[in-house]
């Protein structure tokens, strides 16, 4: 891995943003326009072009028979692990439920809110380079917890475990569609794919750009892209642990980013060597190797406080605090998708089992986006209830404010009620 100082390291890391944006927008705009114009016909053309799969009205959606067949191919122990992970994810997300409220803020004046789920959620699950049943759990479970009754799923891969995960989570329908065309289908609807109110889930730069472009016609969870991990480590960290964790994200995608920030130069060098050694026998060495070559970076800092400053500037998707006292660093952490604390809380724990969501903001968007959760699938609707005396008590203030903005009809809406009381 490339070992450098703060200035050069940040320059290398931020170069990825330019790489990600080049060329994506125009091609995605064309894909979206084609899907909006031709519906299923465009989906079939694009799927054959990009994925080499021929779709017809008869096979675009998985049948109940295919779903049942998928169960037969999943070993019982693997199904058990999936169900236990699902239980943890449900329990965590149930903590995010809000009950709603209507409270008296002044005599005769009540304000509050009520929570309502969206009508239909569309989830996207990557499947081109790997199978991601965990992403099914992370998107469908919070939607179900939120109360969404209709969940549709698009995925370019139909591995048995992914299909089974969807069935376990109560997904209503599964479509064999990937890429930007899947996002367009869920945003605008086709003859086969119904329009979704909210679209969520991880994907490559084309999926991300498609979500950006359809936002407004459908809600989205966040603007996210290739995975990334940043580890802050001190001398108590094991370089073999660090190397394994860095590669756990590098294997996702050639554009994934693995970063170590440490005040310990010796640890930096040992970790770099461990990464090279472990990379050699990794099944996805070709993908991980390109990721490490392009963006794998080790930054040496003067102390842990500076490490935290560097991390905040990058705003990583996954932040591991592999230090002797991770709690002491938390006050310095302001920008991160998820924080993994200590030597025995590696990133894959959050990917699969702890219950926290692994659909996380990246590419610096952790400065203002949060992890996917129940809030992505609900609407908070304001409630206002004033009786006559409460309204009359504030009528003059409202009239004055409305008139100050030149909105006389607003003022008259209040005045007509005031004048009706003799």
């Amino acid at each position: 891995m490339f070992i450098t100082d703060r200035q050069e390291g940040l320059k290398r890391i931020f170069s990825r943003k330019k790489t990600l944006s080049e060329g994506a927008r125009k091609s995605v705009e064309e894909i979206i326009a084609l899907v909006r114009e031709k519906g299923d016909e465009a989906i079939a053309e694009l799927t054959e072009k990009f994925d080499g799969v021929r779709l017809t009205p008869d096979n675009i959606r998985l049948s109940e028979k295919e779903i049942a067949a998928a169960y037969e191919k999943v070993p019982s122990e693997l199904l058990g692990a999936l169900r236990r992970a699902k239980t943890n994810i449900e329990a965590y997300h149930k903590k995010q439920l809000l009950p709603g409220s209507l409270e008296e803020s002044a005599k005769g004046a009540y304000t509050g809110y009520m929570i309502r789920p969206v009508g239909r959620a569309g989830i996207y699950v990557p499947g081109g380079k790997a199978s991601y049943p965990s992403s099914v759990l992370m998107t469908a479970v919070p939607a179900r917890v939120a109360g969404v009754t209709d969940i549709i799923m698009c995925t370019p891969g139909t591995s048995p475990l992914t299909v089974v995960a969807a069935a376990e989570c109560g997904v209503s329908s599964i479509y064999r569609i990937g890429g930007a065309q899947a996002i367009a289908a869920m945003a605008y609807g086709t003859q086969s794919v119904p329009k979704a109110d909210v679209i969520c889930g991880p994907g490559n730069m084309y999926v991300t750009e498609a979500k950006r472009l359809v936002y407004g016609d459908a809600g989205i969870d966040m603007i996210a892209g290739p995975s990334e991990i940043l580890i802050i480590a001190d001398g108590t960290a094991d370089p073999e642990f660090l190397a394994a964790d860095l590669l756990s994200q590098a294997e996702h995608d050639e554009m994934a980013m693995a970063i170590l920030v440490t005040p310990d130069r010796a640890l930096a060098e040992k970790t770099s060597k461990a990464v090279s050694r472990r990379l050699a026998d990794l099944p996805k060495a070709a993908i991980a190797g390109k990721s490490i070559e392009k963006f794998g970076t080790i930054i040496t800092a003067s102390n842990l406080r500076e490490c935290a400053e560097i991390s905040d500037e990058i705003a990583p998707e996954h932040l591991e605090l592999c230090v002797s006292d991770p709690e002491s660093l938390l006050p310095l952490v302001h920008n991160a998708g998820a924080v993994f604390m200590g030597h025995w809380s590696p990133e894959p724990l959050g990917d699969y089992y702890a219950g926290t969501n692994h659909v996380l903001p990246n590419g610096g968007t952790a400065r203002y986006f949060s992890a996917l959760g129940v809030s992505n699938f609900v609407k908070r609707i304001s409630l206002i209830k004033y009786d006559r005396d409460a309204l009359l008590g504030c009528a003059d203030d409202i009239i004055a404010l409305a008139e100050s903005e030149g909105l006389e009809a607003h003022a008259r809406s209040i005045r007509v009620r005031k004048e009706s009381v003799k």
Side-chain angles (χ1 to χ4, degrees):
M1 291 182 70
F2 186 72
I3 303 177
T4 186
D5 59 17
R6 178 175 184 170
Q7 182 176 355
E8 287 301 314
L10 291 174
K11 182 179 178 181
R12 174 179 167 90
I13 290 163
F14 291 140
S15 70
R16 187 178 73 153
K17 286 189 176 182
K18 183 178 180 181
T19 304
L20 288 172
S21 64
E22 290 175 350
R25 178 176 288 266
K26 184 178 180 181
S27 60
V28 172
E29 285 176 342
E30 293 172 352
I31 289 170
I32 291 173
L34 193 62
V35 171
R36 295 188 73 175
E37 178 186 356
K38 300 171 66 176
D40 281 356
E41 183 182 347
I43 294 297
E45 292 176 7
L46 293 165
T47 300
E48 185 166 8
K49 176 181 178 181
F50 295 123
D51 300 326
V53 175
R54 288 193 174 186
L55 293 182
T56 68
D58 294 329
N59 70 3
I60 191 171
R61 175 179 174 176
L62 264 69
S63 66
E64 292 298 323
K65 184 177 179 180
E66 289 173 307
I67 294 171
Y71 269 93
E72 296 177 2
K73 298 176 182 177
V74 175
S76 59
E77 61 271 20
L78 190 53
L79 180 58
L82 183 83
R83 287 172 171 168
R84 288 188 289 275
K86 177 175 174 282
T87 297
N88 292 343
I89 296 164
E90 284 176 337
Y92 178 84
H93 286 84
K94 283 179 180 177
K95 298 175 185 178
Q96 300 176 6
L97 287 170
L98 296 174
S101 169
L102 183 63
E103 298 178 352
E104 190 173 28
S105 54
K107 184 174 175 56
Y110 294 81
T111 56
Y113 65 93
M114 62 182 182
I115 301 295
R116 295 292 183 269
V118 301
R120 179 180 294 119
I123 63 176
Y124 182 81
V125 178
K129 295 180 179 178
S131 169
Y132 293 109
S134 60
S135 289
V136 180
L137 300 181
M138 296 295 179
T139 49
V141 168
R144 279 294 181 200
V145 169
V148 180
T149 56
D150 190 5
I151 304 172
I152 63 172
M153 183 176 102
C154 285
T155 180
T158 54
S159 75
L161 191 57
T162 297
V163 172
V164 166
E168 290 287 311
C169 293
V171 170
S172 309
S173 50
I174 306 170
Y175 300 92
R176 308 174 202 268
I177 313 171
Q181 59 269 29
I183 303 302
M186 291 189 286
Y188 301 108
T190 72
Q191 294 87 341
S192 297
V193 183
K195 184 183 186 303
D197 299 305
V198 170
I199 300 170
C200 65
N204 62 20
M205 72 177 84
Y206 297 99
V207 168
T208 298
E209 188 60 29
K211 287 166 70 176
R212 191 198 312 274
L213 292 172
V214 304
Y215 177 63
D217 293 316
I220 63 170
D221 49 356
M222 64 189 75
I223 302 298
S227 189
E228 58 198 32
I229 185 171
L230 187 148
I231 304 175
I232 295 176
D234 63 13
T236 66
D238 186 327
E240 296 296 331
F241 286 13
L242 301 180
D245 293 356
L246 291 166
L247 289 172
S248 75
Q249 296 310 293
E251 74 172 348
H252 271 300
D253 192 288
E254 292 91 342
M255 300 300 293
M257 189 161 59
I259 306 162
L260 171 64
V261 186
T262 178
D264 191 320
R265 177 76 188 194
L267 180 66
E269 293 174 351
K270 290 177 182 177
T271 302
S272 179
K273 292 177 181 177
V275 167
S276 298
R277 185 176 62 256
R278 287 179 168 273
L279 183 61
D281 65 351
L282 198 66
K284 293 191 175 183
I287 293 173
K290 289 180 181 178
S291 166
I292 294 297
E293 180 183 356
K294 289 180 180 178
F295 304 110
T297 306
I298 300 177
I299 299 176
T300 55
S302 55
N303 51 49
L304 288 178
R305 176 173 287 275
E306 186 184 9
C307 290
E309 291 173 358
I310 293 169
S311 175
D312 256 5
E313 194 168 350
I314 295 168
E317 176 186 14
H318 307 101
L319 171 60
E320 287 190 5
L321 302 180
C322 293
V323 297
S324 60
D325 184 11
E327 284 82 0
S328 67
L329 278 185
L330 281 183
L332 304 179
V333 176
H334 304 94
N335 303 322
V339 182
F340 301 81
M341 302 166 61
H343 303 307
W344 298 96
S345 302
E347 188 278 338
L349 179 63
D351 267 356
Y352 297 107
Y353 205 77
T356 55
N357 206 291
H358 81 199
V359 180
L360 299 166
N362 54 28
T365 62
R367 291 181 293 109
Y368 46 85
F369 275 128
S370 304
L372 183 72
V374 169
S375 62
N376 293 100
F377 300 99
V378 298
K379 303 159 290 182
R380 188 172 63 245
I381 302 171
S382 298
L383 299 175
I384 306 99
K385 180 185 178 183
Y386 275 46
D387 65 18
R388 185 188 70 172
D389 291 343
L391 178 64
L392 294 178
C394 62
D396 289 340
D397 287 344
I398 300 171
I399 290 168
L401 291 168
E403 289 180 340
S404 76
E405 294 186 349
L407 298 175
E408 181 59 28
H410 282 63
R412 291 182 183 183
S413 171
I414 303 299
R415 189 179 289 113
V416 69
R417 286 170 169 78
K418 180 181 178 182
E419 291 175 350
S420 72
V421 179
K422 302 301 182 183

